[in-house]
Amino acid sequence: MVPSNLPAAFWPAAFCRGILALANYYWLLRIIRRALGLEAHQAARFAQLRYLLRFAILAFVIYLLVVHTGIEVLGLILGLSLLVIVITALAIYMFVTKGD
């Protein structure tokens, strides 16, 4: 059920940000997996450069969404926060149940 007091641009923004957050999380997972396969002195530099590149691209995409498409900023924030809340809740659940 959609609350009527939220602007119409809110829901596409939340969806876009959710997709961006999932893509960002998956990209980070791939970077970490590749870095773990490298030697220690190479892995740190590899991960740092990829992190900065990932951050810059994500910031640019968010900038384009906000400035050029007029997407609601609150929806963007909610989309990202939702993923973080779900990951945190899952981690707490797994800790409490000891992974069962």
Side-chain angles (χ1 to χ4, degrees), residues 35-100:
L36 289 174
L38 298 173
E39 295 181 24
H41 68 280
Q42 292 177 325
R45 184 160 176 85
F46 175 84
Q48 289 170 353
L49 290 175
R50 297 302 187 281
Y51 177 83
L52 290 174
L53 177 65
R54 183 178 55 89
F55 183 75
I57 290 172
L58 187 63
F60 182 70
V61 170
I62 291 171
Y63 169 78
L64 289 177
L65 284 173
V66 171
V67 172
H68 295 292
T69 63
I71 282 190
E72 181 77 25
V73 175
L74 183 62
L76 289 173
I77 293 169
L78 178 67
L80 175 62
S81 300
L82 187 60
L83 180 66
V84 172
I85 291 168
V86 168
I87 291 171
T88 303
L90 180 62
I92 291 170
Y93 172 77
M94 291 182 73
F95 177 74
V96 169
T97 62
K98 308 251 189 290
D100 294 335

